[in-house]
Amino acid sequence: MLTIFRGAKIYTMDKENTVFSNADLWVKDGKIIKAGTNTDIPVDATIEDASRLVITPGLIDIHTHVGIWGEIDEHVNDACEYSEPFTPLMDAIDGININHFSFQLARKGGVTTVQTGTGSANPIGGVWSILKTGGSSLEEMLIVERSGLKGALGENPKNVFGQSYNKTPYTRMGVAKIIRNGFQKAMELSSGERDSHMERRTDLSPFIEVLEGKMPLHLHCHRADDIATAIRIAKEFQISLSLEHCTEGHLMLDAIKDCGASVTLGPFMLPSTKYETRNSTPAAPKMFHDAGIPFAIMTDHPFIPIHYLILCAAEAVKYGLDEMAALQSITSEAARLVGIQDRVGSIEAGKDADFVLWSHHPFDSRSTVVATYINGTKAYDGMQR
């Protein structure tokens, strides 16, 4: 059935960042058919009045623990395997609860796609996944089952294991050594041995996937020296790197630009509960944008609740980031950085019909989510909240 949303202002977030006023969005069978003005309406189409509303693509948060961080308490959740520091076989899909309230919060905030998985207690924690925030089963929701190997540098792993559990790693050097060991052992394998490890799904299999370019290494890093360590490790093993948080990245923009890593910035608006986050600033996105470094903005849910993703981007605008660049960072650019731009992130013909109806421009403090659609189906109705 063809449904046409009539009369909206549409931010397509396509390559030209086209914006249509008093435009129509055509949706059929879970896909976007087209968006534009002066369209001839078929007699059999269902018309939805979207006049005076704003439509954007569904928002995308590529660093969360949605559905896997069951509680706020660090030790009452499924996001970190505390039994040992090296746990590469912890797969997000085995811990995600699709009925957890965080998915409801995401839809309420217009977030239709998330990357989620293990937290940052472990130097090597496990494998992340990318999924829609609505659907009847995990299999239906999944976009990318194995989207990256998650690791962490800095205070988190050394404090959890060195201080709390009194075992390695005690230092930043020890954390880096654990990460390197996995890649070094995988590098030493012959082609046949790699096949065997992949078939048996050993601890080295995720490292082989990263080395072979099947997924990136995501490294939690706040302090500038931790970011530098992450870059060194990526160069040593010639692997794709995503810098997660990158809190002091604005202090070393040239090095980050030169290394070509992906960057996910945030969360902002948090107290500096750790020494290494004292230089956190919502002005960082503007600095990255001015330096020509692509980035996404994230919430790190539950540390900033997922439905406040739009506020995180708006905060960056307050500190000078261009509005369109801010919206890109949680739609089209976020999708591109994790390789799902062929399906989501913009309103274009053939893409999944994931979009949000807003009462005002999404960065307007008065704006509310009128409705969130995933695969063409209304997943949140703001009129019934």
Side-chain angles (χ1 to χ4, degrees):
M1 180 179 70
L2 174 64
T3 302
I4 300 176
F5 296 82
R6 296 221 68 188
K9 185 169 188 177
I10 303 176
Y11 289 78
T12 66
M13 307 315 296
D14 61 9
K15 290 180 181 178
E16 290 76 33
N17 288 327
T18 306
V19 179
F20 294 112
S21 295
N22 192 23
D24 301 337
L25 173 62
W26 294 38
V27 174
K28 185 177 182 181
D29 298 332
K31 297 290 183 179
I32 294 168
I33 303 302
K34 63 179 178 178
T37 57
N38 301 319
T39 58
D40 294 326
I41 305 302
V43 294
D44 59 343
T46 298
I47 307 300
E48 295 283 349
D49 181 14
S51 57
R52 298 182 299 278
L53 300 181
V54 173
I55 296 179
T56 69
L59 306 186
I60 301 172
D61 191 337
I62 60 173
H63 183 124
T64 79
H65 309 290
V66 166
I68 198 167
W69 202 296
E71 304 292 342
I72 298 300
D73 189 318
E74 176 81 16
H75 294 279
V76 188
N77 69 75
D78 282 320
C80 297
E81 178 55 55
Y82 294 101
S83 59
E84 56 180 303
F86 184 78
T87 59
L89 295 182
M90 302 298 109
D91 293 344
I93 60 169
D94 296 323
I96 295 170
N97 173 14
I98 66 167
N99 296 312
H100 189 260
F101 69 86
S102 53
F103 285 102
Q104 299 168 13
L105 290 181
R107 298 189 294 266
K108 176 182 178 181
V111 181
T112 56
T113 300
V114 294
Q115 181 167 233
T116 190
T118 179
S120 301
N122 308 66
I124 291 293
V127 175
W128 277 3
S129 296
I130 301 173
L131 64 158
K132 300 287 187 78
T133 59
S136 59
S137 69
L138 180 61
E139 289 71 24
E140 177 188 331
M141 296 161 70
L142 276 174
I143 299 176
V144 182
E145 181 177 330
R146 302 177 67 76
S147 61
L149 177 61
K150 175 67 187 306
L153 294 161
E155 289 184 19
N156 277 23
K158 79 186 192 77
N159 288 351
V160 167
F161 291 97
Q163 294 188 18
S164 298
Y165 296 158
N166 197 32
K167 61 181 180 181
T168 302
Y170 289 87
T171 65
R172 279 177 160 81
M173 296 176 290
V175 173
K177 175 178 178 290
I178 290 172
I179 296 170
R180 280 192 174 95
N181 278 351
F183 286 107
Q184 190 61 53
K185 289 178 180 178
M187 283 279 287
E188 293 169 356
L189 298 173
S190 68
S191 177
E193 288 171 331
R194 283 192 179 191
D195 291 343
S196 176
H197 278 270
M198 291 300 297
E199 195 174 305
R200 292 182 289 120
R201 197 171 178 270
T202 71
D203 280 353
L204 294 183
S205 55
F207 293 92
I208 295 169
E209 291 177 80
V210 175
L211 287 169
E212 294 182 349
K214 295 176 181 176
M215 64 182 179
L217 174 66
H218 296 275
L219 281 180
H220 162 115
C221 47
H222 287 292
R223 227 166 65 179
D225 54 337
D226 294 323
I227 298 169
T229 297
I231 293 172
R232 274 195 301 275
I233 291 172
K235 286 182 177 179
E236 286 171 27
F237 298 103
Q238 298 182 357
I239 56 178
S240 295
L241 173 67
S242 179
L243 297 168
E244 305 295 327
H245 303 294
C246 205
T247 303
E248 290 189 350
H250 58 280
L251 304 178
M252 50 186 301
L253 292 169
D254 288 344
I256 293 171
K257 187 172 184 176
D258 289 345
C259 81
S262 296
V263 177
T264 310
L265 296 173
F268 311 125
M269 301 177 287
L270 280 176
S272 289
T273 54
K274 293 185 284 191
Y275 174 80
E276 64 188 8
T277 61
R278 72 196 188 285
N279 286 322
S280 174
T281 172
K286 182 182 187 303
M287 298 181 202
F288 275 80
H289 182 257
D290 290 349
I293 303 172
F295 62 90
I297 289 175
M298 51 97 147
T299 61
D300 196 21
H301 176 92
F303 299 98
I304 295 290
I306 184 71
H307 56 304
Y308 294 141
L309 177 62
I310 194 67
L311 297 184
C312 294
E315 188 73 3
V317 172
K318 292 179 187 176
Y319 281 76
L321 181 63
D322 174 77
E323 280 191 359
M324 196 63 77
L327 195 53
Q328 283 179 302
S329 76
I330 53 174
T331 56
S332 56
E333 191 61 28
R336 190 188 67 80
L337 289 176
V338 293
I340 57 173
Q341 69 274 20
D342 59 328
R343 286 190 58 181
V344 296
S346 62
I347 294 176
E348 297 181 85
K351 291 195 175 182
D352 294 356
D354 296 357
F355 57 95
V356 189
L357 275 63
W358 306 84
S359 62
H360 300 77
H361 187 287
F363 294 149
D364 189 319
S365 62
R366 300 167 296 173
S367 188
T368 60
V369 172
V370 175
T372 300
Y373 284 80
I374 299 175
N375 298 323
T377 298
K378 187 182 289 187
Y380 170 76
D381 187 345
M383 304 307 292
Q384 297 180 2
R385 64 183 185 275

CSV table of all heavy atoms in Angstrom, one decimal, residues 144-196:
chain,number,residue,atom,x,y,z
A,144,VAL,N,23.6,-5.4,10.9
A,144,VAL,CA,25.0,-6.0,10.8
A,144,VAL,C,25.2,-6.8,12.1
A,144,VAL,O,25.2,-6.2,13.2
A,144,VAL,CB,26.1,-4.9,10.6
A,144,VAL,CG1,27.4,-5.6,10.5
A,144,VAL,CG2,25.8,-4.1,9.4
A,145,GLU,N,25.3,-8.1,12.0
A,145,GLU,CA,25.5,-8.9,13.2
A,145,GLU,C,26.8,-8.7,13.9
A,145,GLU,O,27.0,-8.6,15.1
A,145,GLU,CB,25.3,-10.4,12.9
A,145,GLU,CG,25.4,-11.3,14.1
A,145,GLU,CD,25.2,-12.7,13.8
A,145,GLU,OE1,24.4,-13.0,12.8
A,145,GLU,OE2,25.8,-13.6,14.4
A,146,ARG,N,27.9,-8.5,13.1
A,146,ARG,CA,29.3,-8.4,13.6
A,146,ARG,C,29.9,-7.1,13.0
A,146,ARG,O,30.4,-7.1,11.9
A,146,ARG,CB,30.1,-9.6,13.2
A,146,ARG,CG,29.5,-10.9,13.8
A,146,ARG,CD,30.3,-12.1,13.3
A,146,ARG,NE,31.6,-12.2,14.0
A,146,ARG,CZ,31.9,-12.5,15.2
A,146,ARG,NH1,30.8,-12.9,16.0
A,146,ARG,NH2,33.1,-12.5,15.7
A,147,SER,N,29.7,-6.0,13.7
A,147,SER,CA,30.0,-4.7,13.2
A,147,SER,C,31.3,-4.2,13.7
A,147,SER,O,31.8,-3.1,13.3
A,147,SER,CB,28.9,-3.7,13.5
A,147,SER,OG,28.7,-3.6,14.9
A,148,GLY,N,32.0,-4.9,14.7
A,148,GLY,CA,33.3,-4.4,15.2
A,148,GLY,C,33.7,-5.1,16.4
A,148,GLY,O,32.8,-5.6,17.2
A,149,LEU,N,35.0,-5.3,16.6
A,149,LEU,CA,35.6,-5.8,17.9
A,149,LEU,C,35.8,-4.7,18.8
A,149,LEU,O,36.5,-3.7,18.5
A,149,LEU,CB,36.9,-6.5,17.6
A,149,LEU,CG,37.6,-7.1,18.8
A,149,LEU,CD1,36.8,-8.2,19.5
A,149,LEU,CD2,39.0,-7.7,18.4
A,150,LYS,N,35.2,-4.7,20.0
A,150,LYS,CA,35.3,-3.6,21.0
A,150,LYS,C,36.4,-3.9,22.0
A,150,LYS,O,36.5,-4.9,22.6
A,150,LYS,CB,33.9,-3.5,21.7
A,150,LYS,CG,33.9,-2.5,22.9
A,150,LYS,CD,34.1,-1.0,22.3
A,150,LYS,CE,34.3,0.0,23.5
A,150,LYS,NZ,33.2,-0.1,24.5
A,151,GLY,N,37.2,-2.8,22.2
A,151,GLY,CA,38.2,-2.8,23.2
A,151,GLY,C,38.3,-1.5,23.9
A,151,GLY,O,37.5,-0.6,23.6
A,152,ALA,N,39.1,-1.4,24.9
A,152,ALA,CA,39.1,-0.2,25.7
A,152,ALA,C,40.5,0.1,26.2
A,152,ALA,O,41.3,-0.8,26.7
A,152,ALA,CB,38.2,-0.3,26.9
A,153,LEU,N,40.9,1.4,26.2
A,153,LEU,CA,42.2,1.8,26.8
A,153,LEU,C,41.9,2.8,27.9
A,153,LEU,O,40.8,3.3,28.1
A,153,LEU,CB,42.9,2.6,25.7
A,153,LEU,CG,43.4,1.8,24.5
A,153,LEU,CD1,43.8,2.7,23.3
A,153,LEU,CD2,44.7,1.0,24.9
A,154,GLY,N,42.9,3.0,28.8
A,154,GLY,CA,42.8,4.0,29.8
A,154,GLY,C,42.2,3.5,31.1
A,154,GLY,O,42.4,2.4,31.5
A,155,GLU,N,41.5,4.4,31.8
A,155,GLU,CA,41.1,4.2,33.2
A,155,GLU,C,40.2,3.0,33.4
A,155,GLU,O,40.3,2.2,34.4
A,155,GLU,CB,40.5,5.4,33.8
A,155,GLU,CG,41.5,6.6,34.0
A,155,GLU,CD,40.8,7.7,34.7
A,155,GLU,OE1,39.7,7.6,35.3
A,155,GLU,OE2,41.4,8.8,34.6
A,156,ASN,N,39.2,2.8,32.5
A,156,ASN,CA,38.2,1.8,32.7
A,156,ASN,C,38.8,0.4,33.0
A,156,ASN,O,38.6,-0.2,34.0
A,156,ASN,CB,37.2,1.7,31.6
A,156,ASN,CG,36.1,2.8,31.7
A,156,ASN,OD1,36.3,3.8,32.4
A,156,ASN,ND2,35.0,2.5,31.1
A,157,PRO,N,39.6,-0.2,32.0
A,157,PRO,CA,40.1,-1.5,32.2
A,157,PRO,C,41.1,-1.6,33.3
A,157,PRO,O,41.1,-2.6,34.1
A,157,PRO,CB,40.7,-1.9,30.9
A,157,PRO,CG,40.9,-0.6,30.2
A,157,PRO,CD,39.9,0.3,30.6
A,158,LYS,N,42.0,-0.6,33.5
A,158,LYS,CA,43.0,-0.8,34.5
A,158,LYS,C,42.4,-0.6,35.9
A,158,LYS,O,42.9,-1.2,36.9
A,158,LYS,CB,44.2,0.2,34.3
A,158,LYS,CG,44.0,1.6,34.7
A,158,LYS,CD,45.3,2.4,34.2
A,158,LYS,CE,45.3,3.8,34.8
A,158,LYS,NZ,45.7,3.8,36.2
A,159,ASN,N,41.3,0.2,36.0
A,159,ASN,CA,40.7,0.4,37.3
A,159,ASN,C,39.8,-0.8,37.7
A,159,ASN,O,39.8,-1.3,38.8
A,159,ASN,CB,39.8,1.7,37.3
A,159,ASN,CG,40.6,2.9,37.4
A,159,ASN,OD1,41.9,2.9,37.5
A,159,ASN,ND2,40.0,4.1,37.2
A,160,VAL,N,39.1,-1.4,36.7
A,160,VAL,CA,38.3,-2.5,37.0
A,160,VAL,C,39.1,-3.7,37.4
A,160,VAL,O,38.8,-4.4,38.4
A,160,VAL,CB,37.4,-2.9,35.8
A,160,VAL,CG1,36.8,-4.3,35.9
A,160,VAL,CG2,36.3,-1.8,35.5
A,161,PHE,N,40.1,-4.0,36.6
A,161,PHE,CA,40.9,-5.2,36.9
A,161,PHE,C,42.1,-5.0,37.8
A,161,PHE,O,42.3,-5.7,38.8
A,161,PHE,CB,41.4,-5.9,35.6
A,161,PHE,CG,40.2,-6.4,34.8
A,161,PHE,CD1,39.6,-5.7,33.8
A,161,PHE,CD2,39.7,-7.7,35.1
A,161,PHE,CE1,38.5,-6.2,33.1
A,161,PHE,CE2,38.6,-8.2,34.4
A,161,PHE,CZ,38.0,-7.5,33.4
A,162,GLY,N,42.8,-3.9,37.6
A,162,GLY,CA,44.0,-3.7,38.5
A,162,GLY,C,43.6,-3.3,39.9
A,162,GLY,O,44.2,-3.8,40.9
A,163,GLN,N,42.6,-2.4,40.0
A,163,GLN,CA,42.3,-1.9,41.3
A,163,GLN,C,41.2,-2.7,42.0
A,163,GLN,O,41.3,-3.1,43.2
A,163,GLN,CB,41.9,-0.4,41.2
A,163,GLN,CG,43.0,0.5,40.8
A,163,GLN,CD,42.6,2.0,40.9
A,163,GLN,OE1,41.6,2.4,41.6
A,163,GLN,NE2,43.4,2.8,40.2
A,164,SER,N,40.1,-3.0,41.3
A,164,SER,CA,39.0,-3.7,41.9
A,164,SER,C,39.3,-5.2,42.1
A,164,SER,O,38.9,-5.8,43.1
A,164,SER,CB,37.7,-3.5,41.1
A,164,SER,OG,37.4,-2.1,41.0
A,165,TYR,N,39.9,-5.8,41.1
A,165,TYR,CA,40.0,-7.3,41.1
A,165,TYR,C,41.5,-7.7,41.4
A,165,TYR,O,41.8,-8.9,41.5
A,165,TYR,CB,39.6,-7.9,39.8
A,165,TYR,CG,38.1,-7.7,39.5
A,165,TYR,CD1,37.6,-7.8,38.3
A,165,TYR,CD2,37.2,-7.5,40.6
A,165,TYR,CE1,36.2,-7.6,38.0
A,165,TYR,CE2,35.9,-7.3,40.4
A,165,TYR,CZ,35.4,-7.4,39.1
A,165,TYR,OH,34.0,-7.2,38.9
A,166,ASN,N,42.4,-6.7,41.5
A,166,ASN,CA,43.8,-6.9,41.8
A,166,ASN,C,44.4,-8.0,40.9
A,166,ASN,O,45.1,-8.9,41.3
A,166,ASN,CB,43.9,-7.4,43.3
A,166,ASN,CG,45.3,-7.3,43.8
A,166,ASN,OD1,46.1,-6.4,43.4
A,166,ASN,ND2,45.7,-8.2,44.7
A,167,LYS,N,44.2,-7.8,39.6
A,167,LYS,CA,44.9,-8.6,38.6
A,167,LYS,C,45.2,-7.8,37.3
A,167,LYS,O,44.6,-6.7,37.2
A,167,LYS,CB,44.1,-9.9,38.3
A,167,LYS,CG,42.7,-9.6,37.7
A,167,LYS,CD,42.0,-11.0,37.5
A,167,LYS,CE,40.6,-10.8,36.9
A,167,LYS,NZ,39.9,-12.1,36.7
A,168,THR,N,46.0,-8.3,36.5
A,168,THR,CA,46.4,-7.6,35.2
A,168,THR,C,45.1,-7.3,34.4
A,168,THR,O,44.2,-8.1,34.3
A,168,THR,CB,47.3,-8.5,34.4
A,168,THR,OG1,48.4,-8.8,35.2
A,168,THR,CG2,47.7,-7.9,33.1
A,169,PRO,N,45.1,-6.1,33.9
A,169,PRO,CA,46.1,-5.1,33.8
A,169,PRO,C,46.0,-4.0,34.9
A,169,PRO,O,44.9,-3.6,35.2
A,169,PRO,CB,45.8,-4.4,32.4
A,169,PRO,CG,44.3,-4.5,32.3
A,169,PRO,CD,43.9,-5.8,32.9
A,170,TYR,N,47.2,-3.6,35.4
A,170,TYR,CA,47.3,-2.6,36.4
A,170,TYR,C,47.6,-1.2,35.8
A,170,TYR,O,47.3,-0.2,36.4
A,170,TYR,CB,48.4,-2.9,37.4
A,170,TYR,CG,48.1,-4.0,38.3
A,170,TYR,CD1,48.4,-5.3,38.0
A,170,TYR,CD2,47.6,-3.8,39.6
A,170,TYR,CE1,48.2,-6.4,38.8
A,170,TYR,CE2,47.3,-4.9,40.5
A,170,TYR,CZ,47.7,-6.2,40.1
A,170,TYR,OH,47.4,-7.2,40.9
A,171,THR,N,48.1,-1.2,34.6
A,171,THR,CA,48.6,0.0,33.9
A,171,THR,C,48.1,0.1,32.5
A,171,THR,O,47.6,-0.8,31.9
A,171,THR,CB,50.1,0.0,33.9
A,171,THR,OG1,50.6,-1.1,33.0
A,171,THR,CG2,50.7,-0.2,35.3
A,172,ARG,N,48.3,1.3,31.9
A,172,ARG,CA,48.0,1.5,30.5
A,172,ARG,C,48.8,0.6,29.6
A,172,ARG,O,48.4,0.1,28.6
A,172,ARG,CB,48.2,3.0,30.2
A,172,ARG,CG,47.0,3.9,30.6
A,172,ARG,CD,47.2,5.3,30.2
A,172,ARG,NE,46.0,6.1,30.2
A,172,ARG,CZ,45.3,6.5,31.2
A,172,ARG,NH1,45.8,6.3,32.5
A,172,ARG,NH2,44.2,7.2,31.1
A,173,MET,N,50.1,0.4,30.0
A,173,MET,CA,51.0,-0.5,29.3
A,173,MET,C,50.4,-1.9,29.2
A,173,MET,O,50.4,-2.6,28.2
A,173,MET,CB,52.4,-0.5,29.9
A,173,MET,CG,53.1,0.9,29.8
A,173,MET,SD,54.7,0.9,30.6
A,173,MET,CE,54.2,0.8,32.4
A,174,GLY,N,49.9,-2.3,30.4
A,174,GLY,CA,49.3,-3.7,30.5
A,174,GLY,C,48.1,-3.8,29.6
A,174,GLY,O,47.8,-4.9,29.0
A,175,VAL,N,47.3,-2.8,29.6
A,175,VAL,CA,46.0,-2.8,28.7
A,175,VAL,C,46.4,-2.9,27.3
A,175,VAL,O,45.9,-3.8,26.5
A,175,VAL,CB,45.2,-1.5,28.9
A,175,VAL,CG1,44.1,-1.4,27.9
A,175,VAL,CG2,44.7,-1.4,30.4
A,176,ALA,N,47.4,-2.1,26.8
A,176,ALA,CA,47.8,-2.2,25.4
A,176,ALA,C,48.4,-3.5,25.1
A,176,ALA,O,48.2,-4.0,24.0
A,176,ALA,CB,48.8,-1.0,25.1
A,177,LYS,N,49.2,-4.1,26.0
A,177,LYS,CA,49.8,-5.4,25.8
A,177,LYS,C,48.7,-6.5,25.5
A,177,LYS,O,48.9,-7.3,24.6
A,177,LYS,CB,50.6,-5.8,27.0
A,177,LYS,CG,51.3,-7.2,26.9
A,177,LYS,CD,52.1,-7.5,28.1
A,177,LYS,CE,52.7,-8.9,28.1
A,177,LYS,NZ,51.7,-9.9,28.2
A,178,ILE,N,47.7,-6.5,26.2
A,178,ILE,CA,46.6,-7.5,26.0
A,178,ILE,C,46.0,-7.3,24.7
A,178,ILE,O,45.7,-8.3,24.0
A,178,ILE,CB,45.5,-7.3,27.2
A,178,ILE,CG1,46.1,-7.8,28.5
A,178,ILE,CG2,44.3,-8.1,26.8
A,178,ILE,CD1,45.2,-7.5,29.7
A,179,ILE,N,45.7,-6.1,24.2
A,179,ILE,CA,45.1,-5.8,22.9
A,179,ILE,C,46.1,-6.3,21.8
A,179,ILE,O,45.7,-7.0,20.9
A,179,ILE,CB,44.8,-4.3,22.7
A,179,ILE,CG1,43.7,-3.9,23.8
A,179,ILE,CG2,44.3,-4.1,21.3
A,179,ILE,CD1,43.5,-2.4,23.8
A,180,ARG,N,47.4,-5.9,22.0
A,180,ARG,CA,48.4,-6.3,21.0
A,180,ARG,C,48.5,-7.8,20.9
A,180,ARG,O,48.7,-8.4,19.8
A,180,ARG,CB,49.7,-5.7,21.3
A,180,ARG,CG,49.9,-4.3,20.9
A,180,ARG,CD,51.3,-3.8,21.0
A,180,ARG,NE,51.5,-2.5,20.5
A,180,ARG,CZ,51.5,-1.4,21.3
A,180,ARG,NH1,51.3,-1.5,22.6
A,180,ARG,NH2,51.7,-0.2,20.7
A,181,ASN,N,48.5,-8.5,22.0
A,181,ASN,CA,48.7,-10.0,22.0
A,181,ASN,C,47.7,-10.7,21.1
A,181,ASN,O,48.1,-11.6,20.4
A,181,ASN,CB,48.6,-10.5,23.4
A,181,ASN,CG,49.9,-10.3,24.2
A,181,ASN,OD1,50.9,-9.9,23.7
A,181,ASN,ND2,49.8,-10.6,25.5
A,182,GLY,N,46.5,-10.3,21.1
A,182,GLY,CA,45.5,-11.0,20.3
A,182,GLY,C,45.8,-10.8,18.8
A,182,GLY,O,45.8,-11.8,18.1
A,183,PHE,N,46.2,-9.6,18.4
A,183,PHE,CA,46.5,-9.4,17.0
A,183,PHE,C,47.8,-10.1,16.6
A,183,PHE,O,47.9,-10.6,15.5
A,183,PHE,CB,46.6,-7.9,16.7
A,183,PHE,CG,45.2,-7.2,16.7
A,183,PHE,CD1,44.8,-6.4,17.7
A,183,PHE,CD2,44.4,-7.5,15.6
A,183,PHE,CE1,43.6,-5.8,17.6
A,183,PHE,CE2,43.1,-6.9,15.5
A,183,PHE,CZ,42.7,-6.1,16.6
A,184,GLN,N,48.8,-10.0,17.5
A,184,GLN,CA,50.1,-10.7,17.2
A,184,GLN,C,50.0,-12.2,17.0
A,184,GLN,O,50.5,-12.7,16.0
A,184,GLN,CB,51.1,-10.4,18.4
A,184,GLN,CG,52.5,-10.8,18.0
A,184,GLN,CD,53.1,-10.0,16.8
A,184,GLN,OE1,53.0,-8.8,16.8
A,184,GLN,NE2,53.5,-10.7,15.8
A,185,LYS,N,49.2,-12.8,17.9
A,185,LYS,CA,49.0,-14.3,17.7
A,185,LYS,C,48.2,-14.6,16.4
A,185,LYS,O,48.5,-15.6,15.7
A,185,LYS,CB,48.2,-14.8,18.9
A,185,LYS,CG,49.0,-14.8,20.2
A,185,LYS,CD,48.2,-15.3,21.4
A,185,LYS,CE,49.0,-15.3,22.7
A,185,LYS,NZ,48.2,-15.8,23.8
A,186,ALA,N,47.3,-13.8,16.1
A,186,ALA,CA,46.5,-14.0,14.9
A,186,ALA,C,47.4,-13.7,13.6
A,186,ALA,O,47.3,-14.4,12.6
A,186,ALA,CB,45.3,-13.1,14.8
A,187,MET,N,48.3,-12.8,13.7
A,187,MET,CA,49.2,-12.4,12.6
A,187,MET,C,50.1,-13.6,12.3
A,187,MET,O,50.5,-13.8,11.1
A,187,MET,CB,50.0,-11.2,12.9
A,187,MET,CG,49.3,-9.9,12.8
A,187,MET,SD,49.2,-9.3,11.1
A,187,MET,CE,50.8,-8.8,10.8
A,188,GLU,N,50.5,-14.3,13.3
A,188,GLU,CA,51.5,-15.4,13.2
A,188,GLU,C,50.9,-16.7,12.6
A,188,GLU,O,51.6,-17.6,12.2
A,188,GLU,CB,52.1,-15.7,14.5
A,188,GLU,CG,53.0,-14.6,15.1
A,188,GLU,CD,53.4,-14.8,16.5
A,188,GLU,OE1,52.9,-15.8,17.1
A,188,GLU,OE2,54.1,-13.9,17.0
A,189,LEU,N,49.6,-16.7,12.4
A,189,LEU,CA,48.9,-17.9,11.9
A,189,LEU,C,49.1,-18.0,10.4
A,189,LEU,O,49.1,-17.0,9.6
A,189,LEU,CB,47.4,-17.9,12.2
A,189,LEU,CG,47.0,-17.9,13.7
A,189,LEU,CD1,45.5,-17.7,13.8
A,189,LEU,CD2,47.5,-19.2,14.4
A,190,SER,N,49.3,-19.2,9.9
A,190,SER,CA,49.2,-19.5,8.4
A,190,SER,C,47.8,-19.4,7.9
A,190,SER,O,46.9,-19.3,8.7
A,190,SER,CB,49.8,-20.9,8.1
A,190,SER,OG,48.9,-21.9,8.6
A,191,SER,N,47.6,-19.4,6.6
A,191,SER,CA,46.3,-19.3,6.0
A,191,SER,C,45.4,-20.5,6.5
A,191,SER,O,44.3,-20.3,6.9
A,191,SER,CB,46.4,-19.3,4.5
A,191,SER,OG,45.1,-19.3,3.9
A,192,GLY,N,46.0,-21.7,6.5
A,192,GLY,CA,45.3,-22.8,6.9
A,192,GLY,C,44.9,-22.8,8.4
A,192,GLY,O,43.8,-23.2,8.8
A,193,GLU,N,45.8,-22.3,9.2
A,193,GLU,CA,45.6,-22.1,10.6
A,193,GLU,C,44.5,-21.1,10.9
A,193,GLU,O,43.6,-21.3,11.8
A,193,GLU,CB,46.8,-21.7,11.4
A,193,GLU,CG,47.9,-22.9,11.5
A,193,GLU,CD,49.2,-22.4,12.0
A,193,GLU,OE1,49.6,-21.2,11.8
A,193,GLU,OE2,49.9,-23.2,12.6
A,194,ARG,N,44.4,-20.0,10.1
A,194,ARG,CA,43.4,-19.0,10.3
A,194,ARG,C,42.0,-19.7,10.0
A,194,ARG,O,41.1,-19.5,10.7
A,194,ARG,CB,43.6,-17.9,9.3
A,194,ARG,CG,44.7,-16.9,9.7
A,194,ARG,CD,44.6,-15.6,8.9
A,194,ARG,NE,45.6,-14.6,9.3
A,194,ARG,CZ,45.6,-13.4,8.9
A,194,ARG,NH1,44.7,-12.9,8.0
A,194,ARG,NH2,46.6,-12.6,9.3
A,195,ASP,N,42.0,-20.5,8.9
A,195,ASP,CA,40.7,-21.1,8.6
A,195,ASP,C,40.2,-22.0,9.7
A,195,ASP,O,39.0,-22.1,10.0
A,195,ASP,CB,40.9,-22.0,7.3
A,195,ASP,CG,41.1,-21.1,6.1
A,195,ASP,OD1,40.7,-19.9,6.1
A,195,ASP,OD2,41.5,-21.6,5.0
A,196,SER,N,41.2,-22.7,10.3
A,196,SER,CA,40.9,-23.6,11.4
A,196,SER,C,40.3,-22.9,12.6
A,196,SER,O,39.4,-23.3,13.2
A,196,SER,CB,42.1,-24.4,11.8
A,196,SER,OG,41.8,-25.2,12.9
